[in-house]
Amino acid sequence: MGGMPLTDMPWWRWRANVRSALHMLSDPVFHQECWLAGLEGYGDVTDAVYRLVEDTWLDNWSAEKYVGTIFRDSGEAALVDVAVLRVLRIMHQVGPDAPVSAYMGHHGWPEAVRAARDAHVRLAANDGEDPDAPPRSLDVLRIMTRSA
């Protein structure tokens, strides 16, 4: 890959948060080993959803609004929109304070994971990063978004 830096986007800190959320939401092994196991430092499903939508308001409008600032192109934006809708639908049905197992037991969870994976792979590849690397902890994300 070209090694395109994450920080070349005007709102790269927001992109880093969206990517982190999509990465965690898209990885079933991570769900088992971190979220279900209660591993410290990675938050939970609700934390990931909030990271996905809190600064971007992607729960209120399309990611297309952020092409050129957070997202590189309409293809990224479209994949992110699908992932956001799938995950939010589940969150609204199970509740934001539901345990991780309630999300994972939801009939729509595999589809939400697939949509998050599609978006994560596209964004990671466009940033020149390995989409199959394990998700970074929230401490590492904080360090990354403070620097550069």
Side-chain angles (χ1 to χ4, degrees):
M1 292 187 234
M4 189 178 296
L6 172 68
T7 57
D8 70 335
M9 297 299 294
W11 295 354
W12 65 271
R13 287 178 176 86
W14 288 13
R15 182 177 178 91
N17 282 321
V18 168
R19 283 202 42 212
S20 169
L22 289 169
H23 196 169
M24 289 181 183
L25 290 164
S26 74
D27 187 340
V29 172
F30 172 83
H31 301 161
Q32 296 294 319
E33 294 177 357
C34 293
W35 281 344
L36 276 175
L39 188 64
E40 293 290 318
Y42 293 92
D44 60 16
V45 178
T46 302
D47 296 323
V49 174
Y50 287 139
R51 238 181 1 272
L52 186 60
V53 301
E54 74 180 329
D55 288 331
T56 61
W57 286 48
L58 292 175
D59 51 342
N60 291 305
W61 50 61
S62 172
E64 185 69 29
K65 176 182 180 95
Y66 297 112
V67 169
T69 54
I70 298 174
F71 306 111
R72 296 185 187 287
D73 55 43
S74 292
E76 282 187 356
L79 291 170
V80 169
D81 279 340
V82 171
V84 167
L85 291 174
R86 302 266 189 286
V87 171
L88 286 177
R89 182 178 304 130
I90 295 168
M91 183 177 183
H92 291 304
Q93 290 174 1
V94 302
D97 296 323
V100 173
S101 59
Y103 285 89
M104 291 183 200
H106 189 278
H107 64 87
W109 186 251
E111 189 178 318
V113 169
R114 221 175 358 267
R117 174 74 182 167
D118 291 345
H120 162 65
V121 166
R122 175 79 175 255
L123 272 67
N126 284 349
D127 288 344
E129 293 187 7
D130 178 5
D132 295 321
R136 295 176 179 116
S137 72
L138 297 179
D139 286 340
V140 171
L141 178 63
R142 274 189 280 284
I143 292 165
M144 285 175 46
T145 56
R146 269 197 313 248
S147 61

